[in-house]
Amino acid sequence: MSDDPYEILGVPKTASHDEIKKAYRKLAKALHPDLHPDDAGKKAEFQAVSAAYGLLGDPEKRKRFDAGEIDASGQERPERHYYHQYAGQDAGRRYDPGMGAQEYEDAADFFSDLFGRRSRSGGGDYREAFHTRGPDLRYNLEVDFLDAVRGAKRSVTMPNGKAIEISIPAGVHDGQTLRLRGKGGAGFGEGPPGDALVTIGVLSHPVFTRDGDDIEMELPITLDEAVLGAKVDVPTISGTVSMSVPKGASSGRRLRLKGKGIVRASGKAGDQNVRLKIVLPDRMDGELEELAKRWREHSDFEPRKELRRQT
Amino acid sequence: MSMDERSVVAEVRRVTLRELRLWVREGWVQPAQGERGPAFDEVDVARIRLLCDLRKEMALPADALPVVLTLIDRLHETRRDLRDLTKALEEQPEEVRRSVVAGFRERRGSSYRTDGGA
């Protein structure tokens, strides 16, 4: 294919702005990718035509192109995702016109039923009257981390103005979509209502993170708790529990609180994993410094021995 | 991905906020409802770009748009149905597949002949 935008649009170099516009519209109508979803050739042609029009349809750019200031490929735009690329997937179903049954009415009942799924209604009289299932309605719901891991009930107002009650199951994932049967738009005729599709967005929590059904968190402890061991209070998603820090625990050590993670409806429960972090006070007091000095004098502990050996 | 009205207008520069709201009101674009207004995903944004092409580049009048959209939507619905049917067919035993394909070819062949002879 030629690179010359005038040739691509099939207009002379002397063409007026209106002539260029007309030529472009004619080509665009014939070549638009959404009218030829599987035709890569037509898509390429359409892109060339769009690019050519992007150049010549703009009087300022055309002037610069004619003057040789910019070349024909200078107008390349980033790869565009065309609608048909989405519409071909299941996500595209939301825009289905959904009036299928009549079209298959000369087919056997078996197939009429198969493709006319939106029109199925009681009595099977869909050939005489128009019945169709109501549209699905979508809602994006943001929930707090704790509501997502523990489960919660929320009331939301759908796009059609109706309020519905949503039960968020414990352990719902970020991006998960809940389908509430029959809570969508009203059906036509005797058609059943559509569904409500609620996509959950989970907000992050300052303390807890999640790994499957396990909850992860970092627990700050003091030096004396680490050295001597201690019983400390630990927050979990279901309230505060008491946990033993073993004697001589290092920073980074992981302790497990069994069954304190996400509890599924089935009764299966994840754990809470606690990562210890030894924290010193912001201001050192003399006593702690003295203690450290005395300890240093006789200690032969070398925590970086492994590190030296391996590097 | 989820975008509010203003991000969509910033992303698809060819559409104005007024037009976008009109298109949603007409049902040509059907975003999800969020707690702070409509929430558009990439399917909706691609569709908004298609609407811009139809309305602006091809200068399609507003009253013709629903007809064109319905045809496009029906085309995609049929393509998906066909694809699903093909997939279901692929899971059938070899002999069933062969027999269906043969029956399909025969039908298509005869309809071509009818067209050609008319």
Side-chain angles (χ1 to χ4, degrees):
Chain A
M1 203 190 296
S2 164
D3 269 338
D4 182 353
Y6 287 102
E7 270 187 54
I8 291 170
L9 293 179
V11 293
K13 291 219 188 303
T14 54
S16 70
H17 182 67
D18 278 345
E19 281 167 347
I20 288 171
K21 200 152 125 187
K22 235 169 104 182
Y24 166 67
R25 282 192 177 151
K26 202 171 153 198
L27 287 167
K29 277 178 195 165
L31 297 171
H32 197 281
D34 284 318
L35 305 176
H36 308 281
D38 287 325
D39 194 330
K42 285 223 168 60
K43 182 183 167 185
E45 271 185 74
F46 179 76
Q47 279 170 334
V49 165
S50 297
Y53 183 65
L55 198 63
L56 301 185
D58 181 334
E60 196 53 40
K61 282 183 192 160
R62 184 182 174 192
K63 214 186 281 171
R64 293 180 66 204
F65 175 76
D66 288 344
E69 286 176 26
I70 49 174
D71 66 4
S73 66
Q75 305 308 312
E76 282 281 347
R77 286 200 286 162
E79 171 76 359
R80 169 175 160 187
H81 290 281
Y82 283 97
Y83 178 64
H84 72 82
Q85 290 165 300
Y86 296 103
Q89 300 162 10
D90 280 335
R93 286 221 181 268
R94 86 175 68 132
Y95 287 115
D96 284 354
M99 300 178 188
Q102 278 76 10
E103 294 186 21
Y104 297 96
E105 69 182 309
D106 57 344
D109 272 354
F110 173 70
F111 284 110
S112 170
D113 190 48
L114 192 62
F115 291 112
R117 57 191 170 265
R118 288 162 200 81
S119 307
R120 228 178 303 138
S121 63
D125 58 346
Y126 45 76
R127 291 182 184 208
E128 284 76 38
F130 177 69
H131 303 299
T132 192
R133 183 179 173 276
D136 290 339
L137 297 177
R138 295 178 303 130
Y139 195 93
N140 284 7
L141 182 64
E142 283 192 347
V143 298
D144 290 335
F145 183 87
L146 289 178
D147 282 346
V149 296
R150 293 192 296 220
K153 284 207 192 306
R154 291 283 289 274
S155 178
V156 303
T157 307
M158 296 302 287
N160 63 355
K162 258 193 200 157
I164 59 169
E165 182 86 0
I166 298 173
S167 277
I168 300 159
V172 69
H173 285 281
D174 186 41
Q176 192 176 330
T177 299
L178 309 176
R179 180 181 285 271
L180 282 74
R181 300 229 174 258
K183 298 287 187 188
F188 300 96
E190 288 166 27
D195 300 336
L197 302 174
V198 180
T199 303
I200 305 290
V202 181
L203 301 171
S204 60
H205 192 276
V207 172
F208 300 116
T209 57
R210 193 175 156 183
D211 178 16
D213 282 353
D214 293 342
I215 298 293
E216 311 271 330
M217 72 157 306
E218 187 174 71
L219 183 74
I221 55 172
T222 61
L223 187 61
D224 60 295
E225 285 168 342
V227 172
L228 305 172
K231 270 223 177 285
V232 293
D233 284 346
V234 182
T236 74
I237 57 169
S238 50
T240 303
V241 299
S242 181
M243 185 185 81
S244 299
V245 175
K247 213 171 155 167
S250 288
S251 262
R253 174 136 175 210
R254 290 162 69 90
L255 302 172
R256 181 189 306 248
L257 291 168
K258 231 172 158 28
K260 292 293 178 191
I262 292 165
V263 183
R264 293 281 176 178
S266 62
K268 215 173 122 259
D271 304 328
Q272 174 162 320
N273 295 314
V274 178
R275 210 168 48 252
L276 298 180
K277 183 186 176 189
I278 299 169
V279 178
L280 296 175
D282 284 341
R283 282 239 305 268
M284 283 305 144
D285 56 289
E287 201 178 340
L288 192 58
E289 278 181 29
E290 280 307 310
L291 198 69
K293 273 181 192 156
R294 281 211 305 279
W295 185 71
R296 184 188 273 175
E297 275 166 24
H298 65 263
S299 166
D300 58 355
F301 177 52
E302 285 187 75
R304 290 180 296 278
K305 202 156 92 185
E306 269 305 279
L307 218 62
R308 274 202 299 276
R309 202 174 59 76
Q310 289 179 348
T311 51
Chain B
M1 185 199 75
S2 171
M3 299 169 95
D4 63 13
E5 285 174 329
R6 277 169 205 288
S7 335
V8 169
V9 173
E11 166 91 16
V12 187
R13 275 164 300 183
R14 287 183 293 167
V15 74
T16 64
L17 190 58
R18 238 181 96 122
E19 285 169 320
L20 184 61
R21 286 182 176 158
L22 174 73
W23 294 354
V24 170
R25 214 161 43 237
E26 294 284 349
W28 299 342
V29 184
Q30 293 164 18
Q33 184 65 34
E35 281 149 299
R36 288 176 291 275
F40 300 84
D41 66 7
E42 54 246 301
V43 183
D44 300 320
V45 171
R47 193 173 171 92
I48 291 163
R49 290 209 162 98
L50 167 63
L51 281 167
C52 288
D53 284 352
L54 295 171
R55 278 296 274 134
K56 292 162 199 245
E57 314 301 333
M58 303 184 199
L60 206 70
D63 51 2
L65 207 55
V67 180
V68 174
L69 272 186
T70 308
L71 289 175
I72 290 175
D73 289 341
R74 177 141 329 154
L75 168 74
H76 287 305
E77 182 183 42
T78 306
R79 274 163 46 88
R80 250 184 283 106
D81 280 346
L82 193 61
R83 189 195 62 195
D84 291 346
L85 191 62
T86 312
K87 276 192 187 144
L89 196 59
E90 274 166 13
E91 288 158 16
Q92 294 303 308
E94 174 80 30
E95 51 185 315
V96 176
R97 288 204 313 261
R98 277 178 190 283
S99 141
V100 170
V101 169
F104 176 67
R105 283 224 172 96
E106 196 177 314
R107 261 173 182 281
R108 204 168 54 164
S110 68
S111 78
Y112 282 154
R113 271 199 301 281
T114 313
D115 290 347

